[in-house]
Each structure stands twice: as structure tokens, then as C-alpha cells.
Amino acid sequence: MSAPHLLVHDHKDNCGVVVVENLKAGTEMLAVITHDNSDFRLTAKMDIPIGHKVALKDLRKGDTIWKYGQDIGIIKADVKKGEHLHVHNAKTKRW
């Protein structure tokens, strides 16, 4: 297996984290689910910085964000599968 572009922690997660520099739109990413080392492919719909999240499926305003198998926030603007998921379209539920 080649080095992954994206890490997902749990099968329940609906986002993953980019682990490579300079990820460009159109890249077919290798995503690895660290819970069991399974993998899948996903196409990046936009340039996404290292350390930032990618939506693994279409997410609608009000949906819960799942990462590490945990509720980490809420979608505040629709996000399509393969798009950048960050502060411009997501927020914590803590404040």
C-alpha cells in the first residue's frame, strides 16, 4: 500500500484528516481507517491544507461532525463529499 493522504479514525466518522502537504483538487486520495487499517479512495474536490478535515460524505447544515468516533461539532453550511471541512462551514458545539 502507498502512503495515505487521509486518516480516518473510526468507521462512524464522517470526516478525515489530510496528512500530506499540498493536497490539490482532483487528487484521488488513499484514506486509511486507523481503527482496523482498512482503506478506501476519495477524490478531493478542492485544495486542502495538511491537518485540515475532508467530508467523507455530503453533509447538511445542522448535521453532527463525527471524528475519532466522537461528536466534535456541527455543520453550519452544507459540505459536499471530498470538500474542505473547517471553520468556514463547521463549529464546535461548546460555544
Side-chain angles (χ1 to χ4, degrees):
M1 178 187 338
S2 59
H5 300 91
L6 186 67
L7 292 180
V8 178
H9 298 278
D10 191 275
H11 286 277
K12 185 176 186 177
D13 294 353
N14 56 18
C15 67
V17 177
V18 173
V19 294
V20 295
E21 295 279 354
N22 302 316
L23 183 72
K24 299 296 182 194
T27 300
E28 184 184 29
M29 298 178 287
L30 172 61
V32 173
I33 301 173
T34 59
H35 176 76
D36 61 7
N37 210 32
S38 60
D39 63 77
F40 62 94
R41 300 276 176 172
L42 177 70
T43 301
K45 301 294 185 199
M46 52 188 54
D47 297 352
I48 304 169
I50 190 170
H52 287 223
K53 294 180 289 300
V54 176
L56 303 182
K57 65 179 192 170
D58 290 349
L59 300 169
R60 309 271 315 186
K61 183 178 180 177
D63 285 350
T64 294
I65 304 165
W66 292 95
K67 183 178 173 190
Y68 316 112
Q70 304 291 317
D71 174 347
I72 66 156
I74 191 166
I75 298 296
K76 62 182 193 178
D78 292 354
V79 185
K80 298 287 186 194
K81 180 179 180 178
E83 289 184 347
H84 188 196
L85 176 60
H86 198 56
V87 297
H88 62 284
N89 53 20
K91 70 182 264 345
T92 182
K93 293 177 181 173
R94 292 182 182 179
W95 55 83

